[in-house]
Amino acid sequence: MNASPDPYARIFLLSHMRAFTSLAGHILGSHPQINGYYEMHISYEDAAALDRQLEVFRQGDVLKPNSRYLFDKLLHNEYVLKPERLGLAELKILVSLAEPARTIRSIVHLFRQKPDPDLYASPVEAAHYYVARVKALADFCRTADRGYYYFDAELLQSAPERLLPRLSDWLALDSPLSERYQTFSQTGKPGRGDSSARIHGGRIDRTRVDYSHIVIPEEALSAAREAYRECRAQMIAGAADSVTL
């Protein structure tokens, strides 16, 4: 049985860094039925983790009246989701990938802005993270005992008019998700997702930034492209439904 006394179903977004997940969290978290919008850095290995999730959310935000869901996103391999260990909790699992070249460059750009040197400021190390994360997500999709929904992350920015209605349907929401979103107590804070000015805009910004000045060694980029191609195809094939570019 689920150890948590709260009545909330859960939405989990499984993805990787720089895959528009802060945007996704704010769009989802702005819906009246959904609480949560940032990465809580929790491993969901038993039903007690659901209690921790609720506690973390309540430290900075207030649950919406008559809401249905709690949201979290998992972007790193050290935070795992074990659906089979979460008792009878109702789960909606979303899985999303972004193509490697822009993603890796974006990771490098982000970490080069930090005051202290960071591992992921290296294109090679950022590529290693990407490959390891994509493969872990593919392993999850192959072995999970509950269904999941897949979407290409770029659709959040390039074609939300295609993606958001499908997300609304998958989550059985009573009103559609909107391209406009709220900002919250943790919006833009370090460790809580995108800290750039763009996340404060309140609506989807379709301006693309490709970070083309950042050079990725060809061997690292080729390995990332191969992992993306193979794992994405596997995820789409196993998904309950999908939306792709």
Side-chain angles (χ1 to χ4, degrees):
M1 292 293 292
N2 183 358
S4 175
D6 72 78
Y8 295 97
R10 263 50 180 199
I11 300 170
F12 292 112
L13 172 58
L14 308 184
S15 188
H16 53 78
M17 291 191 290
R18 311 307 285 171
F20 305 100
T21 63
S22 291
L23 180 58
H26 278 71
I27 290 171
L28 291 169
S30 295
H31 192 277
Q33 290 183 284
I34 302 173
N35 304 285
Y37 52 94
Y38 60 88
E39 185 178 12
M40 296 188 184
H41 304 291
I42 295 172
S43 266
Y44 296 89
E45 299 184 73
D46 54 44
L50 304 178
D51 295 320
R52 292 194 294 275
Q53 181 192 16
L54 183 60
E55 180 182 354
V56 169
F57 178 80
R58 282 176 161 164
Q59 288 172 1
D61 296 275
V62 177
L63 292 162
K64 299 170 187 174
N66 303 313
S67 53
R68 177 183 178 190
Y69 286 114
L70 271 171
F71 166 84
D72 196 6
K73 60 180 182 176
L74 288 81
L75 309 183
H76 301 274
N77 288 346
E78 56 263 42
Y79 302 112
V80 300
L81 174 63
K82 300 288 187 182
E84 70 278 5
R85 299 182 184 176
L86 299 184
L88 299 179
E90 179 186 352
L91 307 181
K92 296 286 188 179
I93 301 173
L94 308 175
V95 181
S96 181
L97 298 181
E99 66 86 16
R102 182 195 176 281
T103 301
I104 293 166
R105 292 187 181 108
S106 180
I107 293 170
V108 172
H109 174 79
L110 172 68
F111 283 93
R112 284 182 178 175
Q113 308 311 304
K114 296 183 180 296
D116 298 318
D118 190 279
L119 184 68
Y120 297 136
S122 158
V124 171
E125 294 301 331
H128 287 167
Y129 156 82
Y130 179 88
V131 170
R133 183 59 182 158
V134 167
K135 289 183 176 179
L137 291 172
D139 288 342
F140 172 88
C141 291
R142 187 172 57 252
T143 59
D145 69 342
R146 305 195 196 186
Y148 63 91
Y149 300 92
Y150 175 86
F151 65 92
D152 284 331
E154 293 87 351
L155 290 167
L156 279 162
Q157 183 184 55
S158 65
E161 68 279 359
R162 286 184 54 212
L163 177 61
L164 297 186
R166 298 288 288 279
L167 288 175
S168 302
D169 288 343
W170 292 345
L171 301 175
L173 299 175
D174 60 10
S175 59
L177 292 164
S178 172
E179 294 187 31
R180 293 184 177 272
Y181 58 84
Q182 304 169 38
T183 55
F184 303 94
S185 67
Q186 305 295 314
T187 298
K189 290 188 176 180
R192 296 303 194 188
D194 187 358
S195 57
S196 72
R198 295 181 72 174
I199 197 62
H200 292 277
R203 68 175 302 161
I204 295 173
D205 182 348
R206 300 197 186 205
T207 307
R208 284 187 56 82
V209 182
D210 62 10
Y211 311 104
S212 56
H213 62 285
I214 295 173
V215 177
I216 307 169
E218 185 56 38
E219 183 177 356
L221 183 56
S222 294
R225 284 174 170 158
E226 181 178 0
Y228 171 75
R229 182 175 60 253
E230 292 181 357
C231 294
R232 176 176 176 270
Q234 175 189 313
M235 291 175 187
I236 294 169
D241 197 5
S242 62
V243 187
T244 59
L245 292 167

